PDB file of all heavy atoms in Angstrom:
ATOM      1  N   VAL X 724     -20.296  37.880 -17.921  1.00 90.00           N
ATOM      2  CA  VAL X 724     -19.687  39.216 -18.053  1.00 90.00           C
ATOM      3  C   VAL X 724     -20.387  40.214 -17.124  1.00 90.00           C
ATOM      4  O   VAL X 724     -19.746  40.988 -16.424  1.00 90.00           O
ATOM      5  CB  VAL X 724     -19.743  39.687 -19.523  1.00 90.00           C
ATOM      6  CG1 VAL X 724     -19.267  41.130 -19.640  1.00 90.00           C
ATOM      7  CG2 VAL X 724     -18.892  38.780 -20.392  1.00 90.00           C
ATOM      8  N   LEU X 725     -21.722  40.171 -17.110  1.00 91.00           N
ATOM      9  CA  LEU X 725     -22.459  41.141 -16.273  1.00 91.00           C
ATOM     10  C   LEU X 725     -22.202  40.880 -14.789  1.00 91.00           C
ATOM     11  O   LEU X 725     -22.139  41.807 -13.992  1.00 91.00           O
ATOM     12  CB  LEU X 725     -23.970  41.035 -16.528  1.00 91.00           C
ATOM     13  CG  LEU X 725     -24.437  41.341 -17.954  1.00 91.00           C
ATOM     14  CD1 LEU X 725     -25.953  41.243 -18.030  1.00 91.00           C
ATOM     15  CD2 LEU X 725     -24.008  42.720 -18.395  1.00 91.00           C
ATOM     16  N   PHE X 726     -22.101  39.616 -14.415  1.00 89.00           N
ATOM     17  CA  PHE X 726     -21.798  39.204 -13.044  1.00 89.00           C
ATOM     18  C   PHE X 726     -22.670  39.948 -12.031  1.00 89.00           C
ATOM     19  O   PHE X 726     -22.186  40.580 -11.092  1.00 89.00           O
ATOM     20  CB  PHE X 726     -20.309  39.432 -12.761  1.00 89.00           C
ATOM     21  CG  PHE X 726     -19.793  38.556 -11.642  1.00 89.00           C
ATOM     22  CD1 PHE X 726     -20.027  37.200 -11.645  1.00 89.00           C
ATOM     23  CD2 PHE X 726     -19.084  39.087 -10.580  1.00 89.00           C
ATOM     24  CE1 PHE X 726     -19.559  36.381 -10.625  1.00 89.00           C
ATOM     25  CE2 PHE X 726     -18.611  38.279  -9.551  1.00 89.00           C
ATOM     26  CZ  PHE X 726     -18.853  36.930  -9.585  1.00 89.00           C
ATOM     27  N   GLY X 727     -23.977  39.861 -12.289  1.00 87.00           N
ATOM     28  CA  GLY X 727     -24.910  40.388 -11.283  1.00 87.00           C
ATOM     29  C   GLY X 727     -25.183  41.874 -11.386  1.00 87.00           C
ATOM     30  O   GLY X 727     -25.975  42.413 -10.615  1.00 87.00           O
ATOM     31  N   GLN X 728     -24.519  42.556 -12.339  1.00 88.00           N
ATOM     32  CA  GLN X 728     -24.802  43.992 -12.473  1.00 88.00           C
ATOM     33  C   GLN X 728     -25.894  44.204 -13.508  1.00 88.00           C
ATOM     34  O   GLN X 728     -26.077  43.390 -14.405  1.00 88.00           O
ATOM     35  CB  GLN X 728     -23.537  44.730 -12.925  1.00 88.00           C
ATOM     36  CG  GLN X 728     -22.456  44.736 -11.872  1.00 88.00           C
ATOM     37  CD  GLN X 728     -21.516  45.912 -12.061  1.00 88.00           C
ATOM     38  OE1 GLN X 728     -21.385  46.436 -13.139  1.00 88.00           O
ATOM     39  NE2 GLN X 728     -20.866  46.330 -10.982  1.00 88.00           N
ATOM     40  N   PRO X 729     -26.641  45.320 -13.398  1.00 90.00           N
ATOM     41  CA  PRO X 729     -27.687  45.565 -14.398  1.00 90.00           C
ATOM     42  C   PRO X 729     -27.075  45.792 -15.780  1.00 90.00           C
ATOM     43  O   PRO X 729     -25.927  46.218 -15.884  1.00 90.00           O
ATOM     44  CB  PRO X 729     -28.374  46.844 -13.892  1.00 90.00           C
ATOM     45  CG  PRO X 729     -27.422  47.448 -12.908  1.00 90.00           C
ATOM     46  CD  PRO X 729     -26.603  46.338 -12.342  1.00 90.00           C
ATOM     47  N   MET X 730     -27.848  45.490 -16.801  1.00 91.00           N
ATOM     48  CA  MET X 730     -27.353  45.566 -18.190  1.00 91.00           C
ATOM     49  C   MET X 730     -27.241  47.019 -18.651  1.00 91.00           C
ATOM     50  O   MET X 730     -28.182  47.792 -18.524  1.00 91.00           O
ATOM     51  CB  MET X 730     -28.337  44.803 -19.087  1.00 91.00           C
ATOM     52  CG  MET X 730     -27.993  44.855 -20.552  1.00 91.00           C
ATOM     53  SD  MET X 730     -26.422  44.048 -20.848  1.00 91.00           S
ATOM     54  CE  MET X 730     -26.546  43.620 -22.547  1.00 91.00           C
ATOM     55  N   ASN X 731     -26.059  47.352 -19.179  1.00 90.00           N
ATOM     56  CA  ASN X 731     -25.872  48.651 -19.810  1.00 90.00           C
ATOM     57  C   ASN X 731     -25.319  48.364 -21.201  1.00 90.00           C
ATOM     58  O   ASN X 731     -24.130  48.068 -21.351  1.00 90.00           O
ATOM     59  CB  ASN X 731     -24.889  49.483 -18.965  1.00 90.00           C
ATOM     60  CG  ASN X 731     -24.518  50.798 -19.651  1.00 90.00           C
ATOM     61  OD1 ASN X 731     -24.662  50.955 -20.855  1.00 90.00           O
ATOM     62  ND2 ASN X 731     -24.015  51.733 -18.850  1.00 90.00           N
ATOM     63  N   PRO X 732     -26.189  48.386 -22.239  1.00 90.00           N
ATOM     64  CA  PRO X 732     -25.787  47.867 -23.559  1.00 90.00           C
ATOM     65  C   PRO X 732     -24.482  48.480 -24.078  1.00 90.00           C
ATOM     66  O   PRO X 732     -23.625  47.774 -24.611  1.00 90.00           O
ATOM     67  CB  PRO X 732     -26.968  48.244 -24.465  1.00 90.00           C
ATOM     68  CG  PRO X 732     -28.115  48.435 -23.538  1.00 90.00           C
ATOM     69  CD  PRO X 732     -27.559  48.892 -22.229  1.00 90.00           C
ATOM     70  N   LYS X 733     -24.323  49.776 -23.867  1.00 91.00           N
ATOM     71  CA  LYS X 733     -23.147  50.442 -24.433  1.00 91.00           C
ATOM     72  C   LYS X 733     -21.868  49.917 -23.767  1.00 91.00           C
ATOM     73  O   LYS X 733     -20.900  49.543 -24.419  1.00 91.00           O
ATOM     74  CB  LYS X 733     -23.298  51.950 -24.205  1.00 91.00           C
ATOM     75  CG  LYS X 733     -22.327  52.787 -25.013  1.00 91.00           C
ATOM     76  CD  LYS X 733     -22.714  54.247 -24.981  1.00 91.00           C
ATOM     77  CE  LYS X 733     -21.514  55.063 -25.464  1.00 91.00           C
ATOM     78  NZ  LYS X 733     -21.362  56.291 -24.717  1.00 91.00           N
ATOM     79  N   ARG X 734     -21.907  49.854 -22.430  1.00 90.00           N
ATOM     80  CA  ARG X 734     -20.727  49.421 -21.679  1.00 90.00           C
ATOM     81  C   ARG X 734     -20.439  47.944 -21.975  1.00 90.00           C
ATOM     82  O   ARG X 734     -19.289  47.520 -22.086  1.00 90.00           O
ATOM     83  CB  ARG X 734     -20.979  49.628 -20.186  1.00 90.00           C
ATOM     84  CG  ARG X 734     -19.708  49.623 -19.365  1.00 90.00           C
ATOM     85  CD  ARG X 734     -19.915  50.216 -17.996  1.00 90.00           C
ATOM     86  NE  ARG X 734     -20.363  49.211 -17.034  1.00 90.00           N
ATOM     87  CZ  ARG X 734     -21.214  49.442 -16.060  1.00 90.00           C
ATOM     88  NH1 ARG X 734     -21.737  50.638 -15.915  1.00 90.00           N
ATOM     89  NH2 ARG X 734     -21.559  48.496 -15.218  1.00 90.00           N
ATOM     90  N   TYR X 735     -21.508  47.195 -22.129  1.00 91.00           N
ATOM     91  CA  TYR X 735     -21.380  45.750 -22.387  1.00 91.00           C
ATOM     92  C   TYR X 735     -20.698  45.529 -23.743  1.00 91.00           C
ATOM     93  O   TYR X 735     -19.767  44.742 -23.882  1.00 91.00           O
ATOM     94  CB  TYR X 735     -22.775  45.128 -22.357  1.00 91.00           C
ATOM     95  CG  TYR X 735     -22.832  43.657 -22.697  1.00 91.00           C
ATOM     96  CD1 TYR X 735     -22.211  42.711 -21.877  1.00 91.00           C
ATOM     97  CD2 TYR X 735     -23.507  43.202 -23.825  1.00 91.00           C
ATOM     98  CE1 TYR X 735     -22.272  41.364 -22.170  1.00 91.00           C
ATOM     99  CE2 TYR X 735     -23.564  41.859 -24.127  1.00 91.00           C
ATOM    100  CZ  TYR X 735     -22.939  40.940 -23.299  1.00 91.00           C
ATOM    101  OH  TYR X 735     -22.995  39.606 -23.597  1.00 91.00           O
ATOM    102  N   GLN X 736     -21.177  46.243 -24.737  1.00 91.00           N
ATOM    103  CA  GLN X 736     -20.629  46.121 -26.085  1.00 91.00           C
ATOM    104  C   GLN X 736     -19.146  46.471 -26.077  1.00 91.00           C
ATOM    105  O   GLN X 736     -18.322  45.798 -26.676  1.00 91.00           O
ATOM    106  CB  GLN X 736     -21.407  47.063 -27.033  1.00 91.00           C
ATOM    107  CG  GLN X 736     -21.406  46.623 -28.491  1.00 91.00           C
ATOM    108  CD  GLN X 736     -21.814  45.151 -28.686  1.00 91.00           C
ATOM    109  OE1 GLN X 736     -22.671  44.643 -27.997  1.00 91.00           O
ATOM    110  NE2 GLN X 736     -21.160  44.463 -29.616  1.00 91.00           N
ATOM    111  N   GLN X 737     -18.832  47.539 -25.332  1.00 89.00           N
ATOM    112  CA  GLN X 737     -17.443  47.991 -25.249  1.00 89.00           C
ATOM    113  C   GLN X 737     -16.564  46.919 -24.592  1.00 89.00           C
ATOM    114  O   GLN X 737     -15.453  46.632 -25.054  1.00 89.00           O
ATOM    115  CB  GLN X 737     -17.397  49.280 -24.416  1.00 89.00           C
ATOM    116  CG  GLN X 737     -16.006  49.883 -24.336  1.00 89.00           C
ATOM    117  CD  GLN X 737     -15.945  51.020 -23.329  1.00 89.00           C
ATOM    118  OE1 GLN X 737     -16.549  50.949 -22.270  1.00 89.00           O
ATOM    119  NE2 GLN X 737     -15.243  52.088 -23.681  1.00 89.00           N
ATOM    120  N   ALA X 738     -17.094  46.297 -23.536  1.00 90.00           N
ATOM    121  CA  ALA X 738     -16.316  45.254 -22.846  1.00 90.00           C
ATOM    122  C   ALA X 738     -16.017  44.103 -23.797  1.00 90.00           C
ATOM    123  O   ALA X 738     -14.895  43.597 -23.855  1.00 90.00           O
ATOM    124  CB  ALA X 738     -17.076  44.761 -21.629  1.00 90.00           C
ATOM    125  N   LEU X 739     -17.042  43.684 -24.578  1.00 89.00           N
ATOM    126  CA  LEU X 739     -16.840  42.559 -25.509  1.00 89.00           C
ATOM    127  C   LEU X 739     -15.834  42.931 -26.590  1.00 89.00           C
ATOM    128  O   LEU X 739     -14.958  42.143 -26.951  1.00 89.00           O
ATOM    129  CB  LEU X 739     -18.167  42.163 -26.168  1.00 89.00           C
ATOM    130  CG  LEU X 739     -19.247  41.589 -25.264  1.00 89.00           C
ATOM    131  CD1 LEU X 739     -20.464  41.221 -26.089  1.00 89.00           C
ATOM    132  CD2 LEU X 739     -18.760  40.350 -24.519  1.00 89.00           C
ATOM    133  N   GLU X 740     -15.956  44.159 -27.089  1.00 88.00           N
ATOM    134  CA  GLU X 740     -15.110  44.597 -28.196  1.00 88.00           C
ATOM    135  C   GLU X 740     -13.655  44.649 -27.759  1.00 88.00           C
ATOM    136  O   GLU X 740     -12.774  44.080 -28.393  1.00 88.00           O
ATOM    137  CB  GLU X 740     -15.559  46.006 -28.607  1.00 88.00           C
ATOM    138  CG  GLU X 740     -15.606  46.207 -30.099  1.00 88.00           C
ATOM    139  CD  GLU X 740     -16.413  47.466 -30.401  1.00 88.00           C
ATOM    140  OE1 GLU X 740     -17.654  47.422 -30.390  1.00 88.00           O
ATOM    141  OE2 GLU X 740     -15.771  48.501 -30.600  1.00 88.00           O
ATOM    142  N   THR X 741     -13.414  45.354 -26.642  1.00 89.00           N
ATOM    143  CA  THR X 741     -12.031  45.560 -26.217  1.00 89.00           C
ATOM    144  C   THR X 741     -11.383  44.249 -25.796  1.00 89.00           C
ATOM    145  O   THR X 741     -10.184  44.079 -25.949  1.00 89.00           O
ATOM    146  CB  THR X 741     -11.966  46.553 -25.036  1.00 89.00           C
ATOM    147  OG1 THR X 741     -12.898  46.120 -24.044  1.00 89.00           O
ATOM    148  CG2 THR X 741     -12.326  47.940 -25.476  1.00 89.00           C
TER     149      THR X 741
END
Side-chain angles (χ1 to χ4, degrees):
V724 173
L725 298 182
F726 203 50
Q728 292 205 336
M730 177 64 157
N731 173 340
K733 193 168 164 219
R734 198 163 88 216
Y735 176 64
Q736 206 50 37
Q737 183 189 39
L739 294 182
E740 222 165 280
T741 50

